[in-house]
Coordinates of all heavy atoms in Angstrom, one line a residue:
G10 N 33.7 84.6 0.5 CA 32.7 83.6 1.1 C 33.3 82.7 2.1 O 32.7 81.6 2.4
T11 N 34.4 83.1 2.8 CA 35.0 82.2 3.8 C 34.8 82.7 5.2 O 35.3 82.0 6.1 CB 36.5 82.1 3.6 OG1 37.1 83.4 3.7 CG2 36.9 81.5 2.2
G12 N 34.0 83.7 5.4 CA 33.8 84.3 6.7 C 32.6 83.6 7.4 O 32.2 82.5 7.1
V13 N 32.0 84.3 8.4 CA 31.0 83.7 9.2 C 29.6 84.3 8.9 O 28.6 83.9 9.6 CB 31.3 83.9 10.7 CG1 32.6 83.2 11.1 CG2 31.4 85.4 11.1
A14 N 29.5 85.1 7.9 CA 28.2 85.6 7.5 C 27.3 84.5 6.9 O 27.8 83.5 6.4 CB 28.3 86.8 6.6
S15 N 26.0 84.7 7.0 CA 25.1 83.6 6.5 C 25.3 83.3 5.0 O 25.1 82.2 4.6 CB 23.6 84.0 6.8 OG 23.3 85.2 6.0
R16 N 25.7 84.3 4.2 CA 25.9 84.0 2.8 C 27.3 83.4 2.5 O 27.6 83.1 1.3 CB 25.7 85.3 2.0 CG 24.3 85.8 1.9 CD 23.4 85.1 1.1 NE 23.7 85.2 -0.3 CZ 23.2 84.3 -1.3 NH1 22.5 83.3 -0.9 NH2 23.6 84.4 -2.5
D17 N 28.2 83.3 3.5 CA 29.5 82.8 3.3 C 29.5 81.3 3.3 O 29.5 80.6 4.3 CB 30.5 83.3 4.4 CG 30.7 84.8 4.3 OD1 30.6 85.3 3.2 OD2 31.1 85.4 5.3
V18 N 29.4 80.7 2.1 CA 29.2 79.3 1.9 C 30.3 78.6 1.1 O 30.2 77.4 0.8 CB 27.8 78.9 1.3 CG1 26.7 79.4 2.2 CG2 27.7 79.6 -0.1
T19 N 31.4 79.3 0.8 CA 32.5 78.7 0.0 C 33.1 77.5 0.7 O 33.3 76.5 0.0 CB 33.6 79.8 -0.3 OG1 32.9 80.9 -0.9 CG2 34.7 79.2 -1.1
P20 N 33.3 77.5 2.0 CA 33.9 76.3 2.6 C 33.0 75.1 2.5 O 33.4 73.9 2.2 CB 34.1 76.6 4.1 CG 34.3 78.1 4.1 CD 33.3 78.6 3.0
E21 N 31.7 75.3 2.6 CA 30.7 74.2 2.5 C 30.7 73.6 1.1 O 30.7 72.4 0.9 CB 29.3 74.6 2.9 CG 29.1 74.9 4.4 CD 29.7 76.2 4.9 OE1 30.1 77.1 4.1 OE2 29.8 76.3 6.2
A22 N 30.7 74.5 0.1 CA 30.8 74.1 -1.3 C 32.1 73.3 -1.6 O 32.1 72.3 -2.3 CB 30.6 75.3 -2.2
T23 N 33.1 73.8 -1.1 CA 34.4 73.2 -1.3 C 34.5 71.8 -0.7 O 34.9 70.9 -1.3 CB 35.6 74.1 -0.8 OG1 35.5 75.4 -1.4 CG2 36.9 73.5 -1.0
R24 N 34.1 71.7 0.6 CA 34.1 70.4 1.3 C 33.3 69.4 0.5 O 33.7 68.2 0.5 CB 33.5 70.6 2.7 CG 33.6 69.3 3.5 CD 33.3 69.4 5.0 NE 34.6 69.9 5.6 CZ 34.6 71.0 6.3 NH1 33.6 71.8 6.5 NH2 35.8 71.4 6.9
R25 N 32.2 69.8 -0.1 CA 31.4 68.8 -0.9 C 32.1 68.2 -2.0 O 31.8 67.1 -2.4 CB 30.1 69.5 -1.4 CG 29.1 69.7 -0.4 CD 27.9 70.5 -0.9 NE 27.5 70.2 -2.3 CZ 26.5 70.9 -2.9 NH1 25.9 72.0 -2.3 NH2 26.2 70.6 -4.2
V26 N 33.1 68.9 -2.6 CA 33.7 68.4 -3.8 C 35.1 67.8 -3.6 O 35.7 67.2 -4.5 CB 33.8 69.5 -4.9 CG1 32.4 70.0 -5.3 CG2 34.7 70.6 -4.6
L27 N 35.7 68.1 -2.4 CA 37.1 67.6 -2.2 C 37.1 66.1 -2.1 O 36.3 65.5 -1.4 CB 37.7 68.2 -0.9 CG 38.0 69.7 -1.0 CD1 38.5 70.1 0.4 CD2 38.9 70.1 -2.1
D28 N 38.2 65.5 -2.6 CA 38.5 64.1 -2.4 C 39.2 64.0 -1.1 O 39.0 63.1 -0.3 CB 39.4 63.5 -3.5 CG 38.7 63.4 -4.8 OD1 37.5 63.3 -4.9 OD2 39.4 63.6 -5.9
R29 N 40.2 64.9 -0.8 CA 40.9 64.9 0.4 C 41.2 66.4 0.8 O 41.6 67.2 0.0 CB 42.3 64.2 0.1 CG 42.1 62.8 -0.3 CD 43.4 62.2 -0.8 NE 44.2 61.8 0.4 CZ 45.4 61.4 0.3 NH1 46.1 61.4 -0.9 NH2 46.1 61.0 1.3
E30 N 41.0 66.6 2.1 CA 41.4 67.9 2.7 C 42.8 68.0 3.0 O 43.5 67.0 3.3 CB 40.6 68.2 4.0 CG 39.1 68.6 3.7 CD 38.4 69.1 4.9 OE1 39.0 69.9 5.7 OE2 37.2 68.8 5.1
I31 N 43.4 69.2 2.9 CA 44.8 69.4 3.3 C 44.7 70.6 4.3 O 44.8 71.7 4.0 CB 45.7 69.9 2.1 CG1 45.5 68.8 1.0 CG2 47.1 70.0 2.5 CD1 46.2 69.3 -0.3
P32 N 44.4 70.2 5.6 CA 44.2 71.2 6.6 C 45.4 72.1 6.9 O 45.2 73.3 7.4 CB 43.8 70.4 7.8 CG 44.2 69.0 7.6 CD 44.3 68.9 6.1
G33 N 46.6 71.7 6.7 CA 47.7 72.5 7.0 C 47.8 73.8 6.2 O 48.4 74.8 6.7
I34 N 47.3 73.8 5.0 CA 47.4 75.0 4.2 C 46.5 76.1 4.8 O 47.1 77.2 5.0 CB 47.0 74.7 2.7 CG1 48.1 73.8 2.1 CG2 46.8 76.0 1.9 CD1 47.8 73.4 0.7
P35 N 45.2 76.0 5.1 CA 44.5 77.1 5.7 C 44.9 77.4 7.1 O 44.9 78.5 7.5 CB 43.0 76.6 5.6 CG 43.1 75.2 5.4 CD 44.4 74.8 4.7
E36 N 45.5 76.4 7.8 CA 46.0 76.6 9.1 C 47.2 77.6 9.0 O 47.3 78.6 9.8 CB 46.4 75.3 9.8 CG 45.3 74.5 10.2 CD 45.7 73.1 10.7 OE1 47.0 72.8 10.7 OE2 44.9 72.2 10.9
L37 N 48.1 77.4 8.1 CA 49.2 78.3 7.9 C 48.8 79.7 7.5 O 49.3 80.7 8.0 CB 50.2 77.7 6.8 CG 51.4 78.5 6.5 CD1 52.3 78.6 7.7 CD2 52.1 77.8 5.3
V38 N 47.8 79.7 6.6 CA 47.3 81.0 6.1 C 46.7 81.8 7.3 O 46.9 83.0 7.5 CB 46.2 80.8 5.0 CG1 45.5 82.1 4.7 CG2 46.9 80.3 3.7
R39 N 45.9 81.1 8.1 CA 45.3 81.8 9.3 C 46.4 82.3 10.3 O 46.3 83.4 10.8 CB 44.3 80.9 10.0 CG 43.0 80.8 9.3 CD 41.9 80.0 10.1 NE 42.1 78.6 10.0 CZ 41.6 77.8 9.0 NH1 40.8 78.4 8.1 NH2 41.8 76.5 9.0

């Protein structure tokens, strides 16, 4: 659910519940 298709909503759901983002982790993965 991390892609760009209309049903890919994992990032939106995750952002809703995070206290703090750690952007370096997904940047490194990409």
Side-chain angles (χ1 to χ4, degrees):
T11 61
V13 297
S15 62
R16 294 285 295 160
D17 291 335
V18 295
T19 303
E21 287 77 13
T23 302
R24 183 169 279 122
R25 280 177 38 189
V26 303
L27 291 179
D28 294 329
R29 300 169 81 187
E30 283 191 41
I31 308 172
I34 291 175
E36 288 169 5
L37 179 63
V38 168
R39 282 187 281 273

